[in-house]
Amino acid sequence: ACAKPIEHDASSRCVACETRYCSDRCLRYHAHRGGHDDECAEIASGGGAEQHHAGKKYEEAVSDAVEECAEDTEGQTCFICMDGDAEEGLVRGCSCRGASGFVHVSCLARQAKILVEEADERDLDDNQWHRWYKCSLCEQQYHGVVRSALSWACWKTYLGRPEADWARTCAMTQLGNALHDAKHYEEALSVKEAVLSMQQRLGASEKNVLITQGNLACTYELVGRLEEALSMERDVYSGRLRLNGEEHIHTLMAANNYANGLLTLQRYAEAKALMRKTIPLARRVLGESDTLNFKMRKICATALYEDPAATRGDLREATTTLEDLERTTRRVLGGA
């Protein structure tokens, strides 16, 4: 109610619907003056605050997906239940063509849940989790509003499990990525921050924490929180150096992202220093024709010529680099 962050194990909560609060004072205020009393019964009948919220977001996401796909799906039939007249509209958000791939989001969710449960019961190596984000016909990932709706269904399915449960963790991560893909960056940021907090609290592997931090840094940048993005990119780069060493591909990618963040904030000297150190490593490990090497050289050249303190030598070096880069990329990637 007061927008203060709430601990996962917060003791202050509504006895009827289990909604958590930062303090008893905040709970009393929201109950009597903030409108909670009017929603309490609905939240309780919906399975609690998180389940109620996820259910509402799922319904909204399905409605958005059905509306966006309406022109394409008119007169079609769901390939799972074979019903084209159900109250829930159809969607198609994969790479299927022709009459294939039309489906209800609820059918996709039901299919994914059943397949994951069966794989878990039979202890299969393939846990079938990809059915929560990939079409079973064309085997391509769902995208945009369809992916977002299916991911809300996924989160709604597993959020009641213990915090450390693998499926709950995967569902939260998938929801954050889907919201990002649908360009709902503020919502994605909230979910990704929760994922990182959970991983740190549960002692997740450094590898998984670094992956989450990298995704989070990208979202910070997209919502304009550039200093926070840069701080996290620096942490990811330092973590990759420690975990993988300076010549690992993930370390080189982290260095590129960090340098790009420095460039965005006009910290030219730091960007140049990092790229001068990293480009020779990228050339040796990846070769002259790798696209990551191209990106690094462009960052370095840009930092050289955009720096207000650039010398004539810096400008000549930037020009030479960009001319050579144009020739190399045309040869490797082809003309525009």
Side-chain angles (χ1 to χ4, degrees):
C2 65
K4 180 180 178 181
I6 302 174
E7 296 296 327
H8 181 75
D9 57 352
S11 58
S12 298
R13 59 182 66 204
C14 174
V15 294
C17 69
E18 296 293 310
T19 298
R20 292 178 287 130
Y21 291 88
C22 65
S23 66
D24 290 339
R25 181 169 176 267
C26 192
L27 187 159
R28 289 192 297 272
Y29 176 87
H30 196 222
H32 300 303
R33 298 178 62 184
H36 178 72
D37 283 354
D38 298 331
E39 300 177 325
C40 185
E42 183 182 351
I43 293 172
S45 64
E50 283 190 302
Q51 193 72 53
H52 176 71
H53 173 72
K56 289 179 67 175
K57 297 299 292 186
Y58 165 71
E59 291 174 3
E60 292 170 7
V62 170
S63 177
D64 290 344
V66 168
E67 183 178 352
E68 185 162 315
C69 298
E71 185 176 342
D72 190 32
T73 59
E74 185 178 359
Q76 301 297 331
T77 301
C78 174
F79 76 84
I80 294 178
C81 71
M82 303 306 294
D83 186 355
D85 300 319
E87 184 176 343
E88 178 187 341
L90 295 168
V91 299
R92 183 167 72 173
C94 55
S95 296
C96 285
R97 295 292 181 267
S100 300
F102 299 104
V103 69
H104 300 116
V105 175
S106 60
C107 288
L108 286 175
R110 195 158 43 245
Q111 179 191 65
K113 180 183 177 183
I114 291 170
L115 290 173
V116 169
E117 286 176 351
E118 288 179 349
D120 193 34
E121 290 172 1
R122 296 164 60 188
D123 197 25
L124 300 178
D125 291 336
D126 180 0
N127 62 18
Q128 291 293 308
W129 188 260
H130 56 278
R131 287 295 156 240
W132 278 110
Y133 59 86
K134 187 180 289 187
C135 175
S136 60
L137 298 179
C138 67
E139 293 296 336
Q140 299 301 306
Q141 292 189 23
Y142 290 105
H143 53 81
V145 290
V146 175
R147 182 182 178 189
S148 180
L150 187 55
S151 293
W152 274 115
C154 181
W155 174 236
K156 188 165 71 82
T157 300
Y158 299 108
L159 71 84
R161 291 194 177 191
E163 188 179 31
D165 182 85
W166 72 271
R168 187 184 191 278
T169 301
C170 288
M172 187 184 288
T173 301
Q174 180 167 316
L175 177 59
N177 292 337
L179 290 169
H180 186 281
D181 180 59
K183 296 182 172 57
H184 299 158
Y185 299 127
E186 292 288 352
E187 284 187 284
L189 184 61
S190 177
V191 175
K192 291 180 181 183
E193 287 178 330
V195 171
L196 179 60
S197 176
M198 179 185 67
Q199 288 178 330
Q200 293 171 333
R201 188 167 55 248
L202 297 177
S205 68
E206 186 173 10
K207 173 186 174 182
N208 287 340
V209 170
L210 290 172
I211 291 171
T212 301
Q213 287 179 314
N215 291 335
L216 187 53
C218 179
T219 309
Y220 276 138
E221 188 171 339
L222 287 167
V223 298
R225 294 165 62 173
L226 302 181
E227 290 287 354
E228 289 168 281
L230 183 65
S231 176
M232 193 146 288
E233 285 161 350
R234 180 177 60 246
D235 290 345
V236 173
Y237 176 53
S238 299
R240 285 296 179 185
L241 280 172
R242 183 173 58 253
L243 182 65
N244 303 117
E246 64 178 9
E247 294 189 353
H248 195 279
I249 179 61
H250 290 156
T251 307
L252 297 173
M253 291 170 67
N256 181 77
N257 293 338
Y258 181 30
N260 196 53
L262 289 167
L263 185 63
T264 300
L265 288 172
Q266 300 181 358
R267 292 165 61 168
Y268 301 116
E270 294 171 81
K272 284 184 287 186
L274 179 56
M275 289 295 89
R276 289 189 191 282
K277 172 187 173 183
T278 310
I279 289 172
L281 297 173
R283 281 175 164 164
R284 182 164 67 249
V285 174
L286 305 174
E288 292 282 351
S289 300
D290 189 85
T291 54
L292 182 58
N293 187 32
F294 298 161
K295 293 176 183 178
M296 289 183 175
R297 294 180 65 192
K298 183 180 179 182
I299 289 173
C300 189
T302 304
L304 283 166
Y305 73 74
E306 285 190 353
D307 190 346
T311 65
R312 288 187 177 181
D314 291 334
L315 296 177
R316 281 195 297 269
E317 182 182 348
T319 301
T320 300
T321 299
L322 292 172
E323 288 176 345
D324 180 62
L325 197 53
E326 182 185 17
R327 288 191 295 269
T328 307
T329 53
R330 283 184 179 276
R331 175 174 54 81
V332 174
L333 304 176

